[in-house]
């Protein structure tokens, strides 16, 4: 067993100016204090919120979380309209 930790940079992802009909995105970066690199298998949310989804790896090999450094993992997307029925705008 190895000791270390993973830290999201920034710690909190904020989507500014989000509204139904706009697809917002943010880079996902992680700092690893582990002494070994790790292959990323998948990205997912804990809440299974349909408004959030991650960039697909497609045919590319999955990203590697590099030991002792910052790693770019891809992008997270926010699509507010994914939770709407026909009532996103009620004004």
């Amino acid at each position: 067993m190895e000791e270390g930790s993973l830290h999201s940079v920034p710690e909190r992802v904020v989507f500014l100016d989000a509204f139904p009909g706009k697809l917002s995105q943010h880079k996902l970066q992680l700092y690893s204090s582990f002494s070994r690199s790790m292959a990323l298998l998948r990205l997912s949310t804990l809440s299974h919120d349909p408004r959030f989804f991650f960039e697909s790896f497609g045919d590319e090999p999955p990203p590697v979380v590099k030991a002792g450094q910052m790693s770019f993992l891809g992008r997270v997307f926010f699509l507010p309209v994914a939770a709407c029925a026909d009532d996103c705008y009620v004004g």
Side-chain angles (χ1 to χ4, degrees):
M1 185 179 293
E2 269 195 61
E3 285 194 33
S5 58
L6 299 171
H7 302 276
S8 174
V9 178
E11 184 177 327
R12 177 172 267 173
V13 174
V14 178
F15 292 97
L16 300 173
D17 301 325
F19 57 88
K22 179 181 180 184
L23 176 63
S24 301
Q25 62 180 318
H26 203 287
K27 290 181 184 178
L28 286 177
Q29 298 182 98
L30 212 58
Y31 176 79
S32 172
S33 68
F34 286 95
S35 62
R36 292 189 214 186
S37 295
M38 297 176 262
L40 186 68
L41 298 178
R42 70 179 169 273
L43 294 168
S44 63
T45 63
L46 295 176
S47 67
H48 304 291
D49 188 328
R51 298 173 300 169
F52 296 93
F53 57 97
F54 299 93
E55 184 171 39
S56 172
F57 303 142
D59 293 335
E60 298 290 319
V64 173
V65 178
K66 297 177 183 137
Q69 60 181 296
M70 187 81 66
S71 298
F72 174 70
L73 304 181
R75 295 178 294 168
V76 60
F77 296 93
F78 178 59
L79 184 61
V81 74
C84 296
D86 293 327
D87 58 354
C88 281
Y89 292 103
V90 292

